[in-house]
Amino acid sequence: MAVELKETIDKRREEIMDACEKLYETLGFQSINIKVISTETSFSRPSIYNYFQTKEEIFLGLLTREYMKWNDALKNITDRDSVMDRDALAGAIAKSMEERKTLLKISAMNLYEIEENSRDELLVEYKRIFKRTIELFDECLKKHLKVSEQKREQIRYAFFPYMYGIYPYAYPTEKQISAMDDVKLSHRDVTVYEMTCQFLKLVL
């Protein structure tokens, strides 16, 4: 009975997070609230509060889920039978990052506010999953590069802060593009894959 209850709760939480993610594709963070989210689900606004106390907790749940998916991809890279060279490893990690648009957007745009307005236990769970991401990233480097622990640490400390800046470059708004054009600031279309791969090739 307890297992069935947990499965039901998890399923409802997933539906709420799915609705939030869908809205986040077209709306800004400030425009999304629990009332708006409820219109995209089968739940009323009061019902959502049974699963999340704030909209920030929904976003934190979404971010945690994104990191869990990325962890699966990183583990698959580590578990490959053949050892990859630096270029192949850069490409594999870039490919895994290319599929994490929501993770990159939340991290670049709203992470501080989300963490500040979520319950401690949910924040701890997110940090636990994020810690696992760092461990898996390190395992990828250890398996395929055979570099020292110090070098792996240097790569990690270079990559993760860089990662938080990828989204604004890969997805500039029309307003930002117009302003750059007005001042003749050169810019070009660049993908998440290109930005990630180019950077990793420099630091690996």
Side-chain angles (χ1 to χ4, degrees), residues 76-158:
N76 286 337
I77 295 171
T78 302
D79 290 345
R80 293 184 185 183
D81 292 333
S82 58
V83 174
M84 291 182 281
D85 61 20
R86 282 170 168 77
D87 286 356
L89 180 59
I93 295 174
K95 176 64 177 173
S96 73
M97 181 58 57
E98 184 178 41
E99 299 166 357
R100 302 273 69 84
K101 179 180 176 180
T102 300
L103 182 156
L104 293 172
K105 185 176 182 180
I106 293 174
S107 298
M109 311 287 281
N110 312 113
L111 184 58
Y112 273 27
E113 189 171 354
I114 288 167
E115 290 190 350
E116 187 64 27
N117 291 288
S118 297
R119 283 170 287 172
D120 289 351
E121 60 267 28
L122 299 179
L123 184 56
V124 168
E125 176 61 20
Y126 159 65
K127 295 296 185 182
R128 184 179 294 112
I129 299 299
F130 178 70
K131 178 186 175 186
R132 182 59 182 150
T133 304
I134 293 173
E135 292 169 348
L136 287 165
F137 186 86
D138 188 66
E139 288 174 17
C140 285
L141 303 182
K142 189 175 182 180
K143 162 75 177 287
H144 296 289
L145 294 186
K146 310 296 185 185
V147 295
S148 68
E149 182 177 347
Q150 181 181 14
K151 177 63 175 176
R152 296 198 309 272
E153 182 176 326
Q154 289 172 346
I155 293 169
R156 291 197 310 272
Y157 273 94

Side-chain angles (χ1 to χ4, degrees), residues 8-200:
T8 299
I9 292 172
D10 288 346
K11 185 177 179 181
R12 290 174 179 173
R13 286 172 57 88
E14 288 290 323
E15 182 182 340
I16 294 165
M17 289 188 291
D18 286 344
C20 183
E21 183 172 25
K22 180 181 176 183
L23 289 165
Y24 198 46
E25 291 176 1
T26 56
L27 296 177
F29 180 78
Q30 299 301 330
S31 299
I32 299 173
N33 55 43
I34 289 182
K35 181 180 180 180
V36 173
I37 293 170
S38 71
T39 65
E40 296 290 331
T41 70
S42 59
F43 307 111
S44 64
R45 181 174 59 177
S47 295
I48 290 177
Y49 286 111
N50 291 324
Y51 306 98
F52 299 96
Q53 289 187 1
T54 64
K55 79 167 183 182
E56 288 83 3
E57 289 189 356
I58 301 173
F59 275 94
L60 187 63
L62 182 54
L63 184 60
T64 302
R65 185 173 74 176
E66 283 287 295
Y67 270 104
M68 291 173 70
K69 291 178 180 178
W70 191 28
N71 287 353
D72 289 339
L74 290 173
K75 188 173 188 310
N76 286 337
I77 295 171
T78 302
D79 290 345
R80 293 184 185 183
D81 292 333
S82 58
V83 174
M84 291 182 281
D85 61 20
R86 282 170 168 77
D87 286 356
L89 180 59
I93 295 174
K95 176 64 177 173
S96 73
M97 181 58 57
E98 184 178 41
E99 299 166 357
R100 302 273 69 84
K101 179 180 176 180
T102 300
L103 182 156
L104 293 172
K105 185 176 182 180
I106 293 174
S107 298
M109 311 287 281
N110 312 113
L111 184 58
Y112 273 27
E113 189 171 354
I114 288 167
E115 290 190 350
E116 187 64 27
N117 291 288
S118 297
R119 283 170 287 172
D120 289 351
E121 60 267 28
L122 299 179
L123 184 56
V124 168
E125 176 61 20
Y126 159 65
K127 295 296 185 182
R128 184 179 294 112
I129 299 299
F130 178 70
K131 178 186 175 186
R132 182 59 182 150
T133 304
I134 293 173
E135 292 169 348
L136 287 165
F137 186 86
D138 188 66
E139 288 174 17
C140 285
L141 303 182
K142 189 175 182 180
K143 162 75 177 287
H144 296 289
L145 294 186
K146 310 296 185 185
V147 295
S148 68
E149 182 177 347
Q150 181 181 14
K151 177 63 175 176
R152 296 198 309 272
E153 182 176 326
Q154 289 172 346
I155 293 169
R156 291 197 310 272
Y157 273 94
F159 177 71
F160 279 89
Y162 174 84
M163 183 185 82
Y164 294 148
I166 291 175
Y167 182 86
Y169 279 90
Y171 299 100
T173 65
E174 291 184 8
K175 186 174 183 179
Q176 289 169 329
I177 292 171
S178 177
M180 287 187 284
D181 289 341
D182 285 347
V183 300
K184 295 180 172 54
L185 175 62
S186 64
H187 59 89
R188 67 179 182 88
D189 292 338
V190 61
T191 67
V192 170
Y193 179 88
E194 289 171 332
M195 289 192 66
T196 306
C197 196
Q198 289 172 8
F199 181 78
L200 285 172

